[in-house]
Amino acid sequence: DGIGDLRGIIEKLDYLQLLGIDVIWLSPTFKSPNDDNGYDISDYEDIMDEFGTMADLDELLLKANNIGIKILLDLVVNHSSDEHKWFISAQSSKDSEYRDYYIWRDPVNGAAPNELQSFFFGSAWEFDYASNQYYMHLFSKKQPDLNWENPKMRTDIYKMMNFWIDKGIGGFRIDTAELYGKVPDEMITANGPLLHDYIKEMNKETFGRKDLLTVGECWASTLPEVMKYVNDDASEFSMVFEFEHLCFDHVPGKDKWHLSPLDFIGLKANINKWQNNFENIGWNSLFWNNHDTARAVSRFGNTGKYWTESAKMLATLLHCLKGTPYIYQGEEIGMTNIAFESIHDYRDIETINFYKSWTDEGHSPDETMQSIYAKSRDNSRTPMQWNNSNFGGFSQAEPWIKVNPNFATINVESQVNDDNSIFNHYRKLIQLRKEMDLLVFGKFEMILSEHSKIFAYTRTQGDEKITVYCNFTSDLVACTLPTDRILLSNYKECLSDTLRPYEAIIFYNK
Ligand code: ISL
């Protein structure tokens, strides 16, 4: 029907097994009116109609578990949908037992209580005529914020989490984990004073002491803050997604839409910082992109002549770092950004609101579209490209969002059997990580830290060492390379004194 669904994932488990992954993180699959692609949940214990049924999810869990693949669900509990029964009841009367599950404030001087802004543009306060109060929403007005100060609300959330844990899931990706401790009256959103009390309580009441993986999404957290989530006492999360490394191609201090050329030295220093920091305590997650970002190869690589080389380079760089690598669907075949001609072809609420907000401020439609082409979340949300038939083999009916027209050349079918494909490069990297303890535990050390074109580092453990050299540009770069054995590279033969465009080599020494 043109909408991806659970049966579709079940159908493709063989493909994922071939790739070699161990876990699938599903973006929200729960009942939702889809104001924000499922991140607005109206029933946490039921499946979105468009995605299938609970029986489908049970089957997916069973079949995935049978082949050693765990399923990570997306836990979206900073807010619910305004169509959740709790909010419907809360809004129906100030006396509702659910009123205090959300955050309500009286008007101040006939207007919103304060200047708090939504991440999706405009005020974070929506007026409710019936009760003459505002409710708070850090995202869209159809995503009212849950009130974490309410212990009854928290207990209900934990009950729901245990419902899924009992079904045999592998863990949770925790959406906007840094926002629960918000103090709206003081304009505090991320990392509020009670945040870690809530997360520790959640851990204790649900996934703690179980063999489950948890990864918290933390956009606004700096290093000392991140350490609190992933300290060694295991009282909070297994790891977090922090996003500092994805902030080096916009104007410092401004939001992602203010484009600037990539600050490569800044990016390197940042990855170095996080790698070293987690040397003895905590654990990194490693990723170049997700459903909220542009596609890695378009953003950091080359979509023209060096598409294959640059996609493989990015994969190599990431997979040899210390931490758990995450691949975003289609990254493994080098899927690229999209540039729809019309804003009307975009589906993402953030993109649509951004277009309106920027053009209202006087930016030209052209300039606004350039930012959208670089940073829209829809860049990564176009349908998966399976083959070169209609709609890239994603569906027979017209998909919910247009397919990237490059599906004719960039697709799974053309890559699975080609030993030199991007897909098989990912496979080899995953395989290497499974075979070599060194790639999991080895100590990271950056080399050539001031080099403006090369990203290079070593990993060492005992008498074993790998050295990774990556050319981040389309230039020929002179440099003296190690003479060690080559484990994997993205060119047929390596030169001893030059890195070719986007060349990436893993050397091994024992
Ligand atoms: O996407 C962003 C920047 O472009 C972030 O501000 C993002 O909205 C933020 O990281 C929270 O993301 C998560 O929660 C949102 C949802 O829209 C995102 O898809 C999700 O990953 C609200 O639930």
Side-chain angles (χ1 to χ4, degrees):
D1 63 4
I3 302 171
D5 56 27
L6 293 169
R7 295 230 64 82
I9 303 174
I10 294 169
E11 229 171 73
K12 300 297 183 186
L13 280 172
D14 289 353
Y15 166 77
L16 294 169
Q17 190 180 22
L18 180 68
L19 179 58
I21 56 126
D22 307 292
V23 181
I24 305 171
W25 153 28
L26 297 177
S27 277
T29 46
F30 316 100
K31 261 220 162 57
S32 164
N34 261 314
D35 190 50
D36 178 21
N37 280 108
Y39 283 91
D40 48 317
I41 296 170
S42 55
D43 187 342
Y44 290 98
E45 295 185 24
D46 205 350
I47 302 298
M48 194 191 295
D49 291 332
E50 293 88 330
F51 290 170
T53 62
M54 190 62 89
D56 293 329
L57 191 95
D58 289 338
E59 188 180 327
L60 172 63
L61 274 173
L62 185 75
K63 292 195 164 149
N65 284 345
N66 280 346
I67 55 170
I69 292 181
K70 297 279 168 72
I71 301 289
L72 216 62
L73 295 183
D74 214 318
L75 184 72
V76 190
V77 292
N78 172 67
H79 43 266
S80 72
S81 161
D82 66 340
E83 297 182 33
H84 192 288
K85 65 178 184 212
W86 295 341
F87 189 78
I88 293 173
S89 168
Q91 199 175 26
S92 72
S93 156
K94 277 185 165 176
D95 301 325
S96 155
E97 59 174 314
Y98 294 107
R99 183 80 178 175
D100 197 35
Y101 274 40
Y102 297 88
I103 300 170
W104 303 88
R105 293 289 183 273
D106 291 327
V108 174
N109 301 326
N114 60 31
E115 294 295 302
L116 204 61
Q117 293 293 298
S118 145
F119 293 110
F120 290 162
F121 302 92
S123 171
W125 298 102
E126 179 70 11
F127 189 61
D128 174 54
Y129 286 91
S131 63
N132 198 32
Q133 283 194 313
Y134 286 85
Y135 69 84
M136 180 188 164
H137 60 93
L138 284 174
F139 294 90
S140 95
K141 64 179 182 202
K142 286 187 66 63
Q143 293 167 294
D145 272 58
L146 286 162
N147 175 17
W148 276 77
E149 286 175 18
N150 180 342
K152 213 168 135 258
M153 191 289 294
R154 300 202 303 272
T155 307
D156 274 347
I157 294 288
Y158 304 150
K159 223 169 91 194
M160 172 275 286
M161 290 172 69
N162 286 324
F163 164 82
W164 290 108
I165 291 173
D166 291 345
K167 270 190 179 287
I169 62 164
F172 294 104
R173 175 267 187 181
I174 298 122
D175 191 63
T176 58
E178 63 199 351
L179 298 179
Y180 308 156
K182 65 215 138 198
V183 189
D185 303 316
E186 293 172 33
M187 308 276 289
I188 295 174
T189 52
N191 296 300
L194 292 178
L195 174 71
H196 292 282
D197 293 348
Y198 299 146
I199 296 179
K200 286 193 168 74
E201 179 185 81
M202 175 194 277
N203 172 302
K204 210 167 117 260
E205 298 296 323
T206 63
F207 50 76
R209 290 184 306 277
K210 299 198 170 91
D211 189 16
L212 294 171
L213 187 158
T214 49
V215 49
E217 187 209 23
C218 298
W219 266 89
S221 300
T222 57
L223 198 147
E225 282 156 350
V226 163
M227 291 319 288
K228 296 184 194 152
Y229 296 90
V230 291
N231 254 328
D232 262 6
D233 63 2
S235 61
E236 298 196 15
F237 300 143
S238 320
M239 60 187 126
V240 304
F241 290 128
E242 62 76 26
F243 290 79
E244 280 184 0
H245 66 297
L246 295 186
C247 297
F248 286 92
D249 59 353
H250 63 245
V251 179
K254 300 227 167 161
D255 64 29
K256 68 173 182 182
W257 305 104
H258 294 81
L259 309 181
S260 76
L262 177 69
D263 168 9
F264 179 58
I265 297 281
L267 170 75
K268 277 178 27 168
N270 188 265
I271 291 180
N272 189 25
K273 175 182 93 174
W274 286 99
Q275 286 286 303
N276 286 323
N277 187 65
F278 284 133
E279 184 52 41
N280 300 314
I281 304 172
W283 191 248
N284 276 300
S285 66
L286 309 168
F287 62 101
W288 283 126
N289 46 200
N290 70 15
H291 66 295
D292 288 335
T293 72
R295 290 269 180 193
V297 71
S298 300
R299 190 169 182 183
F300 302 111
N302 180 296
T303 51
K305 190 166 168 201
Y306 300 114
W307 166 68
T308 311
E309 290 80 0
S310 65
K312 289 180 183 175
M313 182 278 287
L314 291 167
T316 307
L317 201 166
L318 192 88
H319 279 78
C320 294
L321 292 172
K322 186 166 177 172
T324 299
Y326 289 77
I327 303 169
Y328 179 70
Q329 68 159 7
E331 175 188 338
E332 76 281 10
I333 56 163
M335 278 178 64
T336 66
N337 279 355
I338 187 76
F340 295 132
E341 229 169 88
S342 161
I343 185 65
H344 302 298
D345 286 328
Y346 285 84
R347 299 286 173 263
D348 167 34
I349 182 170
E350 185 197 42
T351 307
I352 294 166
N353 291 357
F354 163 73
Y355 183 86
K356 185 167 182 326
S357 155
W358 258 38
T359 48
D360 283 354
E361 279 174 28
H363 294 270
S364 74
D366 266 6
E367 185 197 352
T368 309
M369 289 311 279
Q370 289 315 313
S371 286
I372 287 176
Y373 293 159
K375 295 291 174 66
S376 166
R377 309 197 298 182
D378 278 342
N379 278 312
S380 56
R381 297 178 182 189
T382 59
M384 181 70 186
Q385 296 165 201
W386 295 105
N387 56 44
N388 65 6
S389 70
N390 268 353
F391 309 125
F394 177 74
S395 56
Q396 262 130 43
E398 170 128 26
W400 67 280
I401 185 171
K402 283 187 174 166
V403 183
N404 192 316
N406 64 20
F407 72 85
T409 46
I410 303 180
N411 62 61
V412 169
E413 202 177 87
S414 66
Q415 293 195 28
V416 271
N417 296 321
D418 171 5
D419 190 51
N420 279 318
S421 65
I422 299 169
F423 176 83
N424 277 307
H425 196 79
Y426 271 90
R427 267 187 80 190
K428 289 172 199 168
L429 286 163
I430 295 170
Q431 210 43 48
L432 265 186
R433 287 188 64 102
K434 291 190 172 165
E435 286 160 7
M436 294 178 74
D437 263 9
L438 164 68
L439 277 174
V440 181
F441 300 109
K443 183 172 163 47
F444 170 92
E445 234 166 311
M446 178 151 276
I447 48 181
L448 304 180
S449 57
E450 294 305 314
H451 200 292
S452 62
K453 294 181 176 174
I454 297 177
F455 196 125
Y457 58 91
T458 59
R459 301 281 309 278
T460 43
Q461 190 182 33
D463 57 355
E464 278 188 301
K465 170 173 165 181
I466 62 155
T467 311
V468 181
Y469 269 83
C470 296
N471 179 356
F472 225 83
T473 72
S474 52
D475 302 332
L476 284 173
V477 183
C479 70
T480 310
L481 294 166
T483 50
D484 301 341
R485 182 158 76 84
I486 291 173
L487 280 187
L488 189 64
S489 68
N490 59 352
Y491 278 79
K492 275 209 183 74
E493 278 146 18
C494 300
L495 310 174
S496 59
D497 56 358
T498 310
L499 282 175
R500 284 157 295 181
Y502 298 102
E503 187 158 4
I505 315 173
I506 311 172
F507 296 96
Y508 176 77
N509 185 299
K510 188 180 159 120

